[in-house]
Amino acid sequence: MTAILDALSRYSHFATRRPTLAAFVPFVPVVGIWWAVAAMEVVPRAFFPGPLEVAQGFASLTYKGILPAYLEDSVGRLAVGAAFGIALGIPLGLVVGFNQAMRRALWPVLLFFQAIGDIAWLPLLLIWFGFGLTTMTFVIVYTVIFPVVFNTALGVRSVPRDLVRAAQSLGAPKWRIVAEVILPGALPNIMTGLRNGLGYGWRALIAAEIIVGTSGIGFMMFDARRAGSAVEIVLGMIVLGLLWYAVDAWILAPIERATGQRWGLVTKA
Amino acid sequence: MKGLTLRNLHKTYFDPAVGTKVTAVQDVSLEIRPGEFVAVVGPSGCGKSTILNMVAGFLPATKGDIIVGDRAVKGPGRDRGVVFQNFALLPWKTVIDNVGFGLKMRGIPKPERDRVAREFLALAGLSHAADRYPNELSGGMQQRVGVVRALANEPDVLLMDEPFASVDAQTRMTLQEELTRIWQERPHTVLFITHDVGEAVFLADRVVVLSKGRVLREIDVPIARPRVWDAVSEQDDFKRLSFEVLQMVRAA
Amino acid sequence: MNRSAESAGFAVEPSASWRSARQAAVFAAPLLVLFLAWPALVAAFDVDPRVFPGVRAVLAAALEGLRDGSLIAHIAASLGRVVVGTVLAVVVAVPLGIAMGVNAGVSALLTPLFRFFSVLAGIAWIPIATLWFGYGFGAITFVIFNAVFFIVAYNTLLGVASIPPQLRHAAASLGAGPLAMVTDVLLPGALPNVVTGIRTGLGFAWRGLIAAEMIATNVGLGYMLFVARDFYRTEVIVLGMIVIGLLWLFIDRLLLAPLERATIERWGLVQRA
């Protein structure tokens, strides 16, 4: 028992020293277990493929150019939707953050529309715009915009008043205060909003691709499901997981931390 | 009330920042008589916190024995009460529930627990704060709760880890006076860690100077009790001893 | 932070229930305005009912749905799946999260795994869930369970791991055994993270629910919306959207957010991992 505890204690020290490496270590036994379970064929192979089959699927789909094409489609849609969402969300968030009256008027409306959720809009969007890019972009923009607006507003309101006063007493005009004090001060929260928004955004993307279904990773997964083939489904999930993990853990989280993440879980809208 | 004996305590560990094994505590022996108040002083990194953590059972000693009364101990336990630098009050429990926590662990029913807790809160002048949560109190008040919480559990020995380092200077002096007052009313065997030389001399019967993990010297403090800052700070004995200890600590 | 601003206009400190009633009214006001403007806008722009319905059509659809029980059936199905999936997930995830978070080595080992699976939580599991469980209650409840489970387990793990070691030391020095440590230190200490995890997980689960119901079943709010599309019955769609919005508002704002606020603010636990 003490031997196990010692080993665990040493592992935790190792993990603190080498966090990047420690992030990968646990997956090795998991893949091993996966392989073993798949090999035992408790469930038919068609329903539960092993890691080798998935790897083969990856290789063949990449070679045929299908996977890269779908990936490009998905990522492209997400990027476009996110860009619009941010471009609209930050200014709206600033307005709501600054103006008490606007906040009182808009906040409940925003909350209600966020509560409806992006997916629930699909039927209406399909009637309006059909099965195309506009529908999908709308869904993603709709998803991304709310966390961005809420967190930007929160960020604006949590800039310490003394900072604004200091800038005023140093003779800064209003627009400069916004640019040099408010925006940087709100930046940590804006990053949180962005991170949240993208988190919801890619999920909305997958759902939209499944339902609207023309191309993309979501489409690939659901199409495979219709054909009864689990390999592409699992492959899609792994690709999505890795992609989002990479973006979130190695791009977004460090930026959020670097901009001086202060509040952690409390002030998330 | 029991005595506390430290016998040939050693602590070495692997420091990832340095990349080698580091010796924090080197062959430290100390004998504290029942009811005696001993303060351990030393510069930062001299190993005093490590010693306290070992005695409290939070860190295993590499070598050596810790004996409470006549029994060797390992691991934390109610025989060694601890007062922490950062108070360590449970934020989700009220003051009175915090103070009664040790009693709850012993299975004492609530009415009895509350009675004892209120008694101790009165001792520290905190009766009005019984139903507040820790985050509603000032630092000084929180630490009073911390002290009283440890005392209410009737430990054989009281361990105090730089308990007043996290409060402002004024509050610190008040707390030091309160501690001696409470200690005189309810004597305990105390091991008190600090980097503040004046605090050590003011509070203790004996001051132990630590340097680089070793005991440098032990100095008796024959100042009469009860001690209050106004009177004590004027006394020659106090000034002399403080100066002596300070020189030792600085040279260490 | 906002509470004092609300009562600033009163000379005498109003009672708590009056304050919350007033807060509710202030909150609902803009929505009411929107609701009242709706028929005016539809009339003014002469909107085709196949593009966007008028108020009366939606109300009629609501009454019809209530009368023949279909609306109730859809709501019950959706809520039922959410409740079952969530309760199961929380009951499994919290003890597991605590067990994982207690030991630094175990938590270092398992955190990357749970983080990865949290990332996938929800919608991405729909295809495989329908493959394994076919269409219907099983697949959808699995998606919901999955969404809530990984996120709650991950957050519980983080919560336990971020309890200051001093608190555990203090409890140990006061004689706390392992059971007391869990009930009096670990569980309350991790509670804010657990509640946040439930709230986030439920958010993903609710979205996943609607999406899954559009594809994989024949009863439920998502299904109601999707099937109405085939017949251009926009009034049913908009009715469904409003119901979904109100339900989530209720769950999130009236149940979860106050719970989150209560645990965090009451105990003054501000800065967490």
Side-chain angles (χ1 to χ4, degrees):
Chain A
M1 187 59 195
T2 20
I4 301 179
L5 286 174
D6 270 339
L8 284 172
S9 162
R10 250 175 300 145
Y11 183 77
S12 91
H13 288 134
F14 161 75
T16 349
R17 251 182 300 157
R18 306 280 198 114
T20 345
L21 201 55
F24 287 104
V25 166
F27 290 97
V28 175
V30 167
V31 173
I33 297 174
W34 174 16
W35 178 83
V37 173
M40 286 196 296
E41 301 217 7
V42 174
V43 182
R45 275 300 181 121
F47 279 17
F48 195 88
L52 290 171
E53 285 143 309
V54 175
Q56 270 173 313
F58 174 76
S60 108
L61 283 173
T62 313
Y63 178 71
K64 290 189 218 162
I66 298 179
L67 190 60
Y70 281 169
L71 204 54
E72 201 183 311
D73 284 334
S74 292
V75 173
R77 286 173 192 136
L78 185 62
V80 168
F84 274 111
I86 297 167
L88 292 169
I90 293 186
L92 189 56
L94 288 174
V95 166
V96 171
F98 277 123
N99 193 314
Q100 176 84 310
M102 285 296 265
R103 198 176 73 80
R104 291 241 176 127
L106 289 180
W107 200 266
V109 175
L110 289 170
L111 279 179
F112 178 71
F113 277 95
Q114 186 194 33
I116 295 179
D118 37 282
I119 314 269
W121 277 89
L122 272 174
L124 214 52
L125 292 173
L126 288 173
I127 292 182
W128 291 349
F129 304 120
F131 289 72
L133 186 60
T134 322
T135 301
M136 289 208 254
T137 310
F138 185 101
V139 166
I140 298 171
V141 172
Y142 190 93
T143 312
V144 170
I145 210 173
F146 291 102
V148 172
V149 169
F150 289 134
N151 278 280
T152 305
L154 192 64
V156 166
R157 297 177 64 225
S158 57
V159 174
R161 201 130 36 118
D162 279 349
L163 291 186
V164 176
R165 287 182 180 149
Q168 284 170 331
S169 69
L170 290 162
K174 194 136 202 229
W175 73 271
R176 280 227 101 126
I177 296 184
V178 172
E180 313 248 13
V181 178
I182 307 279
L183 269 177
L187 199 57
N189 291 71
I190 296 179
M191 283 308 303
T192 306
L194 181 58
R195 207 170 154 206
N196 272 6
L198 283 176
Y200 283 110
W202 80 257
R203 288 179 169 85
L205 171 73
I206 298 303
E209 282 179 352
I210 291 178
I211 296 173
V212 175
T214 45
S215 70
I217 304 283
F219 167 75
M220 177 180 93
M221 293 200 298
F222 203 62
D223 201 42
R225 185 254 170 269
R226 275 195 291 241
S229 167
V231 171
E232 287 87 356
I233 302 181
V234 175
L235 180 59
M237 286 166 75
I238 295 179
V239 166
L240 286 174
L242 286 176
L243 211 57
W244 179 246
Y245 191 98
V247 169
D248 188 63
W250 294 326
I251 301 179
L252 296 178
I255 297 182
E256 195 180 8
R257 253 194 312 267
T259 57
Q261 177 184 14
R262 294 175 299 137
W263 290 97
L265 299 168
V266 181
T267 51
K268 274 220 186 115
Chain B
M1 233 187 344
K2 306 224 174 99
L4 175 68
T5 308
L6 311 182
R7 214 184 285 153
N8 306 108
L9 275 186
H10 266 90
K11 181 65 182 173
T12 48
Y13 64 93
F14 180 86
D15 186 348
V18 179
T20 57
K21 277 206 167 185
V22 166
T23 305
V25 175
Q26 184 97 285
D27 200 18
V28 166
S29 295
L30 189 59
E31 183 89 39
I32 304 182
R33 292 180 290 274
E36 199 185 357
F37 194 121
V38 170
V40 174
V41 268
S44 295
C46 68
K48 51 192 196 295
S49 276
T50 313
I51 292 178
L52 188 126
N53 280 315
M54 285 195 286
V55 176
F58 305 142
L59 271 182
T62 316
K63 252 191 291 185
D65 303 304
I66 298 155
I67 298 153
V68 175
D70 54 2
R71 217 173 24 119
V73 285
K74 249 188 217 199
R78 20 174 311 247
D79 56 334
R80 284 150 292 144
V82 184
V83 180
F84 296 82
Q85 183 176 343
N86 292 315
F87 326 137
L89 300 179
L90 297 177
W92 42 84
K93 289 188 183 290
T94 55
V95 163
I96 193 168
D97 285 337
N98 262 286
V99 173
F101 188 76
L103 302 159
K104 181 179 178 190
M105 293 302 103
R106 274 192 271 157
I108 295 175
K110 190 139 181 30
E112 175 69 14
R113 287 205 307 262
D114 281 354
R115 189 189 61 79
V116 174
R118 284 189 199 280
E119 212 180 284
F120 277 92
L121 284 173
L123 191 62
L126 286 171
S127 303
H128 61 285
D131 295 310
R132 302 283 198 89
Y133 283 90
N135 73 304
E136 299 171 46
L137 305 178
S138 70
M141 290 172 75
Q142 288 190 48
Q143 194 54 299
R144 285 191 185 90
V145 176
V147 170
V148 149
R149 175 178 71 172
L151 290 177
N153 208 24
E154 294 179 341
D156 294 324
V157 164
L158 191 62
L159 306 173
M160 306 183 79
D161 187 358
E162 305 205 52
F164 307 139
S166 296
V167 297
D168 63 273
Q170 252 77 295
T171 313
R172 197 175 307 149
M173 292 174 69
T174 314
L175 290 177
Q176 287 156 354
E177 288 187 339
E178 275 199 38
L179 182 63
T180 39
R181 177 180 63 79
I182 295 176
W183 178 76
Q184 284 210 263
E185 272 188 69
R186 307 263 184 147
H188 276 80
T189 313
V190 179
L191 176 60
F192 188 101
I193 307 284
T194 180
H195 60 274
D196 183 339
V197 167
E199 177 173 74
V201 176
F202 177 81
L203 290 171
D205 294 323
R206 187 161 34 118
V207 173
V208 174
V209 181
L210 212 66
S211 160
K212 298 200 185 52
R214 283 177 206 276
V215 173
L216 214 55
R217 256 186 66 184
E218 300 187 23
I219 301 176
D220 287 318
V221 181
I223 300 176
R225 292 185 190 272
R227 299 179 188 171
V228 285
W229 271 114
D230 287 339
V232 166
S233 52
E234 296 299 308
Q235 288 180 25
D236 288 329
D237 269 346
F238 176 80
K239 294 190 210 172
R240 183 180 46 85
L241 286 168
S242 301
F243 184 73
E244 240 179 84
V245 175
L246 189 59
Q247 291 299 90
M248 265 187 272
V249 170
R250 292 175 103 182
Chain C
M1 240 195 316
N2 298 329
R3 274 171 276 176
S4 55
E6 299 287 310
S7 50
F10 288 81
V12 176
E13 186 62 31
S15 74
S17 53
W18 168 242
R19 253 210 310 272
S20 46
R22 191 171 164 272
Q23 272 181 329
V26 168
F27 184 85
L31 293 172
L32 224 58
V33 169
L34 214 61
F35 184 74
L36 293 172
W38 176 8
L41 289 168
V42 167
F45 287 94
D46 197 21
V47 181
D48 183 336
R50 279 156 47 113
V51 170
F52 203 82
V55 180
R56 252 173 305 186
V58 173
L59 286 173
L63 283 170
E64 189 187 330
L66 284 169
R67 226 164 342 124
D68 67 16
S70 62
L71 186 60
I72 314 282
H74 290 309
I75 295 178
S78 295
L79 283 180
R81 291 165 182 145
V82 168
V83 168
V84 171
T86 304
V87 168
L88 273 174
V90 171
V91 161
V92 178
V94 172
L96 188 65
I98 292 182
M100 294 193 295
V102 169
N103 183 296
V106 173
S107 94
L109 205 54
L110 293 176
T111 303
L113 275 176
F114 274 80
R115 191 173 174 185
F116 178 78
F117 280 101
S118 294
V119 158
L120 272 178
I123 290 182
W125 286 82
I126 292 181
I128 201 104
T130 51
L131 186 68
W132 288 345
F133 301 106
Y135 290 119
F137 183 83
I140 300 181
T141 314
F142 176 79
V143 170
I144 292 173
F145 173 87
N146 184 286
V148 178
F149 171 77
F150 282 112
I151 297 201
V152 172
Y154 180 57
N155 275 276
T156 307
L157 178 114
L158 282 184
V160 171
S162 64
I163 294 177
Q166 286 215 318
L167 288 183
R168 293 163 68 167
H169 286 166
S173 294
L174 290 161
L179 184 63
M181 190 65 84
V182 171
T183 51
D184 285 280
V185 182
L186 299 179
L187 202 51
L191 198 60
N193 292 66
V194 172
V195 175
T196 304
I198 294 179
R199 199 170 165 211
T200 310
L202 212 50
F204 289 138
W206 185 250
R207 301 255 166 75
L209 169 81
I210 303 296
E213 284 180 344
M214 286 190 184
I215 312 164
T217 186
N218 58 3
V219 69
L221 289 165
Y223 168 78
M224 178 179 116
L225 283 181
F226 206 63
V227 106
R229 182 191 62 85
D230 279 331
F231 301 99
Y232 284 89
R233 296 201 61 194
T234 53
E235 70 278 5
V236 175
I237 296 180
V238 171
L239 171 65
M241 287 165 74
I242 294 178
V243 169
I244 292 175
L246 289 175
L247 277 176
W248 179 247
L249 260 186
F250 179 78
I251 296 174
D252 190 54
R253 290 280 145 179
L254 275 109
L255 288 174
L256 296 176
L259 186 61
E260 196 178 15
R261 246 198 319 265
T263 51
I264 295 179
E265 285 186 359
R266 195 76 180 96
W267 300 334
L269 298 163
V270 176
Q271 242 150 339
R272 291 311 213 103

